[in-house]
Amino acid sequence: MQLILHWEPFESQGLWEENLIGALLAIFGHLVVSIALNLQKYCHIRLAGSKDPRAYFKTKTWWLGLFLMLLGELGVFASYAFAPLSLIVPLSVVSMIASAIIGIIFIKEKWKPKDFLRRYVLSFVGCGLAIVGTYLLVTFAPNSHEKMTGENITRHLVSWPFLLYMLVEIVLFCLLLYFYKEKNANSVVVILLLVALLGSMTVVTVKAVAGMLMLSIQGTLQLHYPIFYVMLVCMVATAVYQAAFLSQASQMYDSSLIASVGYILSTTVAITAGAVFYLDFLGEDALHICMFALGCLIAFLGVFLITRNRKKSIPFEPYISMDAMPGMQNMHDKGMTVQPDLKASFSYGALENNDNISEIYAPATLPIMQEEHGSRSASGVPYRVLEHTKKE
């Protein structure tokens, strides 16, 4: 009994150190990824504003950004082998904090002075809240990290809580996919919830693959377990489909909206998956769980403020505004332009659908009747009497 009491503090200290290593790797990885993306953005902006005929992939800046991106993703991948999934996933807020700051300094995004309070202050308040949330996440993160051996992963995979969770997730995913594909439910919440459900499986498999690879490097070979390859295939498949849905969302909605809503939904679903599969919060007291949840909420609020006032892109309009044409004045005194109704087609006009135009506006039958005057003394050209028969 005395040995157990002496051993528990050392074990808890070792788990806290592993959590710290994992958190630092995740923070480093997301920070480097943010720098890499801004480097590539800077490369595209510089080429677009100059007469340089080179393609973007022929510049050193773009390749430096690609190298840093791979390095950052490697750091995030390695972090899953040290810390619980519930700690690593919310730390993606670091990339948004870095992008908000680098976008002002490095990319030199220019805002008007009148927009300073509306943009700068809210953005920095959001960064501050996100940093506070990150501190709470790291401080009150769960310490129930276990070795990712093939036996442990198989045991978690066939446990009844995870099987029940998978059943609920599959049913929910199929329903959302049905409404998205068949009912044209193109809401940003629907699309990003599909991404979040796929992303929860991605992070679960990433942690399993990273943990088994780390144990193999340390000397305990895990690559002979079939579960390793099952997790690897699931990781690649879910990541590919997740990227496909994100690409579809980016074509319909603003990037700032996708970033904020996607972060909230993906983090919530991923933490739930980690709590069910890896039992992250097993044995944690209520205070730690509440403080961890508070850290997540503060980080969510910070992300919302960071992305709230970003410039929104103008959506594509498949028509030409009348007042945008050279020499064409506005037709209305109130400043409203005439635009077609696009509910059915991209054709111009006031009709929603021109398929049945022949039935609605059928030409009237106009029989021709000619009357000749018998009086030859009457001068003038013979005339025709037209009888218009209305079609009811």
Side-chain angles (χ1 to χ4, degrees):
M1 184 67 179
Q2 186 176 3
L3 292 175
I4 295 177
L5 292 176
H6 283 292
W7 172 253
E8 286 181 353
F10 290 103
E11 183 180 5
S12 179
Q13 182 70 20
L15 291 175
W16 188 86
E17 290 178 355
E18 288 187 354
N19 284 2
L20 182 60
I21 294 174
L24 291 177
L25 282 173
I27 292 173
F28 168 79
H30 288 300
L31 180 62
V32 172
V33 168
S34 179
I35 295 174
L37 292 175
N38 281 279
L39 273 176
Q40 292 183 334
K41 180 180 178 181
Y42 173 76
C43 175
H44 287 286
I45 293 175
R46 189 180 63 178
L47 289 177
S50 64
K51 298 181 180 180
D52 194 344
R54 294 180 300 170
Y56 64 89
F57 55 85
K58 293 184 179 180
T59 60
K60 297 179 180 179
T61 306
W62 188 86
W63 283 104
L64 177 61
L66 181 62
F67 171 76
L68 291 177
M69 183 184 298
L70 294 176
L71 180 63
E73 292 293 347
L74 181 62
V76 175
F77 178 80
S79 66
Y80 283 94
F82 292 94
L85 187 150
S86 302
L87 170 61
I88 300 302
V89 171
L91 292 180
S92 58
V93 69
V94 174
S95 62
M96 298 187 185
I97 299 173
S99 295
I101 298 175
I102 295 174
I104 298 172
I105 299 175
F106 186 70
I107 303 298
K108 297 181 181 179
E109 295 181 351
K110 296 181 179 180
W111 289 329
K112 297 179 180 179
K114 66 179 181 179
D115 295 334
F116 179 83
L117 291 178
R118 189 170 61 90
R119 293 184 181 271
Y120 276 97
V121 172
L122 286 181
S123 296
F124 282 115
V125 169
C127 291
L129 290 175
I131 293 173
V132 172
T134 302
Y135 172 78
L136 292 177
L137 290 172
V138 175
T139 304
F140 297 97
N143 292 320
S144 59
H145 181 61
E146 64 178 353
K147 299 297 182 181
M148 292 292 100
T149 61
E151 293 87 354
N152 290 336
I153 295 175
T154 304
R155 176 170 52 84
H156 289 307
L157 191 63
V158 298
S159 62
W160 70 265
F162 181 71
L163 293 177
L164 181 61
Y165 173 81
M166 279 297 300
L167 177 62
V168 173
E169 182 168 310
I170 290 174
V171 172
L172 180 59
F173 182 85
C174 292
L175 287 176
L176 290 173
L177 189 62
Y178 170 76
F179 283 107
Y180 175 61
K181 294 293 185 180
E182 300 297 332
K183 302 298 182 179
N184 294 325
N186 295 329
S187 172
V188 64
V189 177
V190 173
I191 303 175
L192 294 182
L193 194 54
L194 289 169
V195 174
L197 293 174
L198 289 172
S200 65
M201 291 296 100
T202 302
V203 294
V204 165
T205 53
V206 164
K207 180 172 178 58
V209 172
M212 296 180 77
L213 285 175
M214 184 61 65
L215 288 178
S216 300
I217 294 174
Q218 293 175 353
T220 307
L221 188 63
Q222 301 292 321
L223 301 183
H224 62 280
Y225 287 98
I227 192 64
F228 172 80
Y229 301 98
V230 172
M231 289 292 183
L232 182 62
V233 172
C234 292
M235 178 185 71
V236 175
T238 53
V240 169
Y241 283 103
Q242 185 181 357
F245 282 114
L246 276 176
S247 176
Q248 295 175 18
S250 64
Q251 295 175 5
M252 294 183 286
Y253 297 98
D254 186 68
S255 60
S256 60
L257 179 64
I258 296 175
S260 58
V261 178
Y263 173 77
I264 294 172
L265 293 178
S266 298
T267 301
T268 303
V269 179
I271 290 176
T272 305
V276 174
F277 188 87
Y278 293 109
L279 305 176
D280 285 347
F281 296 96
L282 184 64
E284 295 291 329
D285 54 61
L287 177 60
H288 277 71
I289 296 176
C290 291
M291 293 302 294
F292 182 83
L294 178 62
C296 290
L297 293 177
I298 294 176
F300 292 165
L301 180 59
V303 170
F304 172 75
L305 292 178
I306 290 173
T307 59
R308 184 183 175 211
N309 291 309
R310 289 187 179 180
K311 295 180 180 179
K312 296 183 179 180
S313 59
I314 301 176
F316 169 72
E317 297 179 350
Y319 51 78
I320 301 174
S321 178
M322 299 292 289
D323 56 355
M325 299 175 63
M328 176 66 71
Q329 296 181 354
N330 200 334
M331 299 177 61
H332 298 275
D333 296 334
K334 296 181 179 181
M336 299 175 61
T337 57
V338 178
Q339 305 293 3
D341 193 343
L342 301 177
K343 293 181 180 179
S345 64
F346 291 113
S347 60
Y348 286 90
L351 298 178
E352 293 186 2
N353 194 341
N354 295 335
D355 296 337
N356 299 324
I357 188 172
S358 60
E359 300 178 2
I360 301 174
Y361 298 97
T365 304
L366 302 176
I368 301 175
M369 298 178 62
Q370 183 175 353
E371 296 182 0
E372 296 182 358
H373 290 269
S375 178
R376 296 182 180 179
S377 61
S379 61
V381 182
Y383 62 89
R384 295 178 180 179
V385 177
L386 303 179
E387 295 183 358
H388 187 133
T389 59
K390 295 181 181 180
K391 189 175 182 179
E392 297 294 330

